[in-house]
Amino acid sequence: MDGPHPNSLFSDWVVAPCWVLNTIGWGRLALGGLSQINVNAWGGPWIVDVDSLNQSKSAATMITLYLASLLLALRAHAVPSLSQAEIVLKGDCSRNGLVYDCGRNGLVWTAGAVRMNHMQVVGSHNSYHVEAPKAERDLQSAAAPAAIDLQYSHAALDVQLEYLHLRNLELDLLADPDGGMYSEPLIRRLAGLGVPNDPLLKKKGTKVLHIPDVDYHTTCSTLVSCLHIIKRWLDAHPDSVPLPMMMEFKTAEKLGERLGGAKVVPWTTELLDIVDAEIRRVFNRSQLITPDDVRREGLTLEESILKYGWPDLDSARGRIFFLMDNGPVGDVRDAYVEGRRNLEGRVLFTNSQPGQSDCAFQKLNDPSTDAAVDFIQQQVKANYWVRTRADEPLVTVVEHSCSTERRDRALRSGAHVVSTDFAAFGMSARWGCDYAVRLPGGKGARCNPVVGGACEGLLEPEEYTEN
């Protein structure tokens, strides 16, 4: 019986374990030095002790071998109906001799497969942002003409995922280790509107808002509450493409502090540790993609990405990963990588520069020239994850009359994330023109125009974008 091609799906999944067992002679479970298999699925966890199985050839042992091989084959080939199964292989899994090259946390690298960086998605800039009420807008405009750039609102995070089909969101974070730092915005006091009725603002923990004391309205006020909204959507859509989350770390302004507003709380390594912990509190290990998951032994994070690339798309479905907006030079990135030059144990991928050991992601926001597009394409081809922006509020719609030139360049660049403030038609209508950034057919993801490789057709179940 011929074995299946390493990159193909089994047409009959019952045959798969038979092939595995026939290949090893039905008497030796040869799993590349593995000593134990943990299977967290179908009522598990189940633990299969490979060494003890290899010492016996009884009928019961053969059945156990068959079941173990069945589970391995199902996971190795990412059968869609079993996408939530997680198999953790203990031992040397870099070349296990069966079907795929696996890393950590259930992620898979298969030669010739569609990888997670073979897609392109559209995301929203400042995804949480809500425009201030008129009384506050008048004060904003009186203080600075540029306040017009604050006049936009986004729908709730789950609405953006479900109905606008966005697959990238961005949050601005402010540290609040003692609680209450941003609970009484100055501009609200000046407008005579009283104290916001949000008990979460009084509690300690990372907050989500744009500019303390000036532009603070948000659809979710804490990092944890925002992430719970996203997690509920992910749990209901296990076959979605992985969601890249942009995170910008901000502080209050010194002028506001002098006027009696929020104090400036610099981001220290300890406060960044809290952000990592809050993310892990919401998402379990199998829902995350972290630097540790893609870094190979003996290589830096950058070397690992350049040589091996990102995991297979199918093995990354239903997951989320986090990208730092700050950097590539600055105090926040420096504090985050302190003592962890390859982001060991970290959750976020940092915005870094080629040649730095932590460089797997680059924020290249300006695709407005041919040279910029060419550079983005070079970075995408090299395997770096890239984010760019299709527009700027409100320059694109007010000064440039809804020109689509920058948008079209951004999409053509192959950047994996194209961020916009106008993810739906109608959002720019108040400025006298129609402008939006959408993928063809309103889909949540498409094959990357630069590195799509074997990618073709729909990247998500059709029902995910029917709304």
Side-chain angles (χ1 to χ4, degrees):
M1 176 179 179
D2 293 331
H5 188 277
N7 299 329
S8 65
L9 288 172
F10 291 126
S11 58
D12 183 349
W13 54 266
V14 176
V15 175
C18 296
W19 173 79
V20 173
L21 293 178
N22 277 332
T23 301
I24 61 179
W26 286 87
R28 181 74 189 169
L29 188 56
L31 295 177
L34 304 182
S35 60
Q36 190 179 79
I37 306 171
N38 288 358
V39 182
N40 295 316
W42 307 288
W46 309 97
I47 299 178
V48 180
D49 189 329
V50 176
D51 292 335
S52 63
L53 289 176
N54 284 329
Q55 296 173 6
S56 172
K57 293 188 179 181
S58 67
T61 298
M62 290 301 100
I63 292 173
T64 306
L65 280 169
Y66 179 86
L67 291 175
S69 301
L70 169 63
L71 297 175
L72 275 171
L74 287 172
R75 179 56 179 170
H77 291 281
V79 176
S81 62
L82 301 175
S83 61
Q84 293 304 294
E86 177 187 356
I87 294 181
V88 181
L89 300 173
K90 293 186 176 181
D92 180 9
C93 193
S94 61
R95 289 286 187 274
N96 66 30
L98 289 177
V99 178
Y100 56 83
D101 175 13
C102 68
R104 301 178 184 177
N105 193 22
L107 295 168
V108 174
W109 283 254
T110 307
V114 176
R115 303 294 185 88
M116 59 179 276
N117 61 313
H118 291 169
M119 69 175 186
Q120 184 180 61
V121 301
V122 170
S124 54
H125 170 242
N126 294 345
S127 308
Y128 59 88
H129 189 267
V130 175
E131 185 177 346
K134 185 178 185 306
E136 293 180 14
R137 287 203 308 274
D138 291 344
L139 291 172
Q140 291 172 346
S141 299
I148 189 175
D149 289 344
L150 306 179
Q151 296 179 17
Y152 65 97
S153 294
H154 288 299
L157 300 181
D158 53 346
V159 172
Q160 294 182 57
L161 294 167
E162 182 71 13
Y163 296 101
L164 300 184
H165 311 150
L166 299 185
R167 296 297 181 262
N168 161 252
L169 300 171
E170 178 185 352
L171 302 178
D172 288 343
L173 308 183
L174 288 105
D176 190 8
D178 300 318
M181 181 63 70
Y182 313 102
S183 61
E184 299 183 19
L186 277 177
I187 195 169
R188 190 174 180 88
R189 283 186 254 164
L190 293 173
L193 297 178
V195 177
N197 183 26
D198 186 350
L200 291 179
L201 291 175
K202 293 289 188 180
K203 296 183 178 181
K204 63 175 62 177
T206 308
K207 301 301 187 293
V208 174
L209 66 152
H210 192 213
I211 306 173
D213 294 310
V214 176
D215 187 38
Y216 62 90
H217 293 274
T218 174
T219 60
C220 48
S221 56
T222 70
L223 173 59
V224 170
S225 64
C226 293
L227 294 183
H228 274 299
I229 294 170
I230 298 168
K231 177 176 168 54
R232 285 193 292 271
W233 187 89
L234 269 180
D235 288 345
H237 299 79
D239 291 318
S240 75
V241 297
L243 301 184
M245 281 289 301
M246 291 295 299
M247 311 282 269
E248 183 172 1
F249 295 81
K250 292 188 169 184
T251 65
E253 299 293 332
K254 292 183 179 179
L255 175 59
E257 181 177 354
R258 288 198 295 269
L259 294 174
K263 294 181 180 180
V264 176
V265 183
W267 284 100
T268 63
T269 299
E270 292 72 25
L271 291 174
L272 293 167
D273 290 343
I274 291 174
V275 171
D276 277 2
E278 289 178 334
I279 294 172
R280 293 187 189 278
R281 188 195 314 169
V282 176
F283 294 101
N284 60 49
R285 182 77 180 89
S286 63
Q287 285 185 300
L288 292 171
I289 301 171
T290 68
D292 283 342
D293 293 331
V294 299
R295 190 183 63 256
R296 301 299 181 106
E297 185 176 354
L299 299 178
T300 67
L301 177 59
E302 182 187 44
E303 290 169 344
S304 301
I305 287 296
L306 295 180
K307 183 174 182 179
Y308 293 99
W310 296 84
D312 291 6
L313 174 60
D314 281 345
S315 71
R317 291 187 181 280
R319 299 184 187 232
I320 189 169
F321 61 109
F322 293 82
L323 308 170
M324 180 181 288
D325 185 278
N326 307 70
V329 177
D331 294 341
V332 176
R333 174 185 167 272
D334 291 347
Y336 197 71
V337 303
E338 183 179 350
R340 307 170 189 236
R341 59 188 298 266
N342 290 295
L343 302 176
E344 293 89 345
R346 285 301 193 189
V347 175
L348 277 73
F349 292 87
T350 44
N351 172 26
S352 191
Q353 294 175 320
Q356 298 293 319
S357 61
D358 63 321
C359 188
F361 161 65
Q362 296 182 62
K363 181 186 72 173
L364 302 173
N365 275 349
D366 187 0
S368 58
T369 66
D370 288 340
V373 171
D374 289 344
F375 183 75
I376 291 174
Q377 290 179 342
Q378 291 171 18
Q379 305 313 298
V380 169
K381 290 175 182 177
N383 281 340
Y384 296 108
W385 191 275
V386 178
R387 180 256 204 169
T388 196
R389 288 182 64 179
D391 44 67
E392 296 180 75
L394 291 167
V395 172
T396 298
V397 297
V398 176
E399 295 183 18
H400 296 166
S401 302
C402 288
S403 168
T404 61
E405 183 177 355
R406 175 168 170 165
R407 178 197 70 184
D408 296 343
R409 287 179 183 273
L411 292 168
R412 189 172 72 249
S413 74
H416 305 95
V417 172
V418 177
S419 180
T420 180
D421 282 285
F422 306 95
F425 284 103
M427 295 179 69
S428 65
R430 64 191 288 188
W431 308 108
C433 58
D434 290 318
Y435 171 87
V437 181
R438 305 280 289 166
L439 292 179
K443 300 304 180 185
R446 72 168 181 173
C447 297
N448 191 291
V450 174
V451 291
C455 178
E456 61 181 5
L458 297 177
L459 298 187
E460 292 183 325
E462 194 166 5
E463 60 267 25
Y464 283 13
T465 54
E466 286 180 343
N467 293 323

